[in-house]
Amino acid sequence: MTHPSRHTGRAPADVTAGAAAAAEDRAPVVVGAPGSFARSVLDERHPALIERVRRATPYPPELQRALDALLDEITKGFVGRLDDGEPGAGDWRDEPYYGQRWADVPFLWAESFFYRKLLAALRHFTPGPWQGIDPFAPFKNAELAGAKVDEELSAFDRLPGLPPKEQDRTLLLSSLWGNRADLGFRLSAGEAGLADRVQGLVVDDSQALWENLAAGEPGRVCLVADNAGPELLPDLVLTDHLLTTGRAASVVLHLKPYPYYVSDATTADALACLDRLTGASGHAAAVGERLRQAVGDGRLVLRTHPFSCAPHSYDRMPADLREDFASASLTVMKGDLNYRRLVGDRHWPATTPFAEATAYFPGPVAALRTLKCDVVTGLAPSTLEELDASTEPWRTSGTHALIQVRL
């Protein structure tokens, strides 16, 4: 296994000047004060994850000690560099936050570097018996093998009975909501529209998404995946739908080159999902077989890029990735992390137009995202007022979602 190559990229010269200036005016989200959402990730989620990883796999004493050291650093210490002997350490050498308290650095960077240090502690990139072992595989495998997934796959049998527009709507919202998607597959043609059954959709640009895909000859769609397991399954079914309905001539599924953020999808995870589909029955099995064939004939491309695990927003993407997105008829960004990287992990006013925050992006782009962090753009003032009037932590609870499109 090779270590990750250089992940940073310079901001492209043709970034829209106004959008760049606006982004610079917005302070980045930092880990911050006790009680903040970002700080709770550092103080609660990351220590709990270290313990969960430790319990899931029988690591030897030296790896256990490395986990202890990482826990001590993030809870009591300062940001330390990767060891010089760590494969790929040079890629992180020029980052500016070493020696600072974890609480004082940008949230996106801190999360990304935590996961990189976790993999280093477990010798994921170091030649030897632990090289290439996914520390999150026990969690992902258990979710994919669960009985709930059997129910979801059997519910696909209802899909062909829906009218075409309801199929479109069902599959898009299923991909959006991930493992909450079972609402969609339980609709029949005579029931109320899916939009009336799914609560919490605060922005819905789905019509613009479908209109863009219908314009001109079918092109290439880039789908930047988020989570593995039950949340990747509806992404794959949506991919099959785009191919079989002629909305896309090909789909490029962007995956993580190595384990990242607990459940982010890698190539191995995508293949496991294809096996889960083909091992089912009925419509799900047919979808799985079509997708396997699509991989074989090049209409479904599984792609990884080192920048997918970079601690930076997409406005710093390198030229080859920029060209990939520029040549797509549409790029679909899935999930919360990709959203933060797309608009910039900054304290945007929530009414900032999505088009303004993504003006730098080299082609049409859509975001399918459930809200699980503070960053959000593109809300109508009346929607923001209503949400802020509630007592629910709507920005972080995962109960609200959005479909945003910038053409």
Side-chain angles (χ1 to χ4, degrees), residues 83 95 139 147 199 244 305 335:
D83 292 341
E95 298 295 334
F139 320 138
Q199 302 299 313
T244 57
H305 194 286

Side-chain angles (χ1 to χ4, degrees), residues 34-162:
S36 68
F37 173 76
R39 185 62 178 271
S40 73
V41 172
L42 178 69
D43 290 347
E44 300 169 18
R45 186 180 301 176
H46 288 174
L49 176 62
I50 290 174
E51 184 59 25
R52 191 181 179 201
V53 165
R54 188 197 305 271
R55 290 179 177 274
T57 302
Y59 292 111
E62 61 271 25
L63 271 61
Q64 297 270 3
R65 290 192 292 270
L67 289 176
D68 291 338
L70 177 59
L71 178 62
D72 192 62
E73 178 183 325
I74 65 172
T75 55
K76 304 175 185 177
F78 299 84
V79 179
R81 296 177 180 273
L82 293 168
D83 292 341
D84 289 340
E86 168 68 15
D91 298 343
W92 294 82
R93 185 172 296 124
D94 297 331
E95 298 295 334
Y97 304 111
Y98 302 117
Q100 298 185 33
R101 295 191 316 140
W102 280 87
D104 295 335
V105 304
F107 182 36
L108 177 63
W109 191 92
E111 277 199 286
S112 297
F113 194 52
F114 165 77
Y115 282 102
R116 184 60 183 84
K117 294 203 83 170
L118 179 63
L119 292 177
L122 298 175
R123 300 184 182 177
H124 180 81
F125 302 108
T126 304
W130 295 97
Q131 185 178 23
I133 299 299
D134 183 348
F136 314 127
F139 320 138
K140 293 187 282 192
N141 294 341
E143 284 193 336
L144 192 60
K148 188 175 185 295
V149 174
D150 293 327
E151 297 176 11
E152 295 299 316
L153 294 180
S154 65
F156 278 109
D157 291 341
R158 305 281 298 274
L159 189 66
L162 297 178

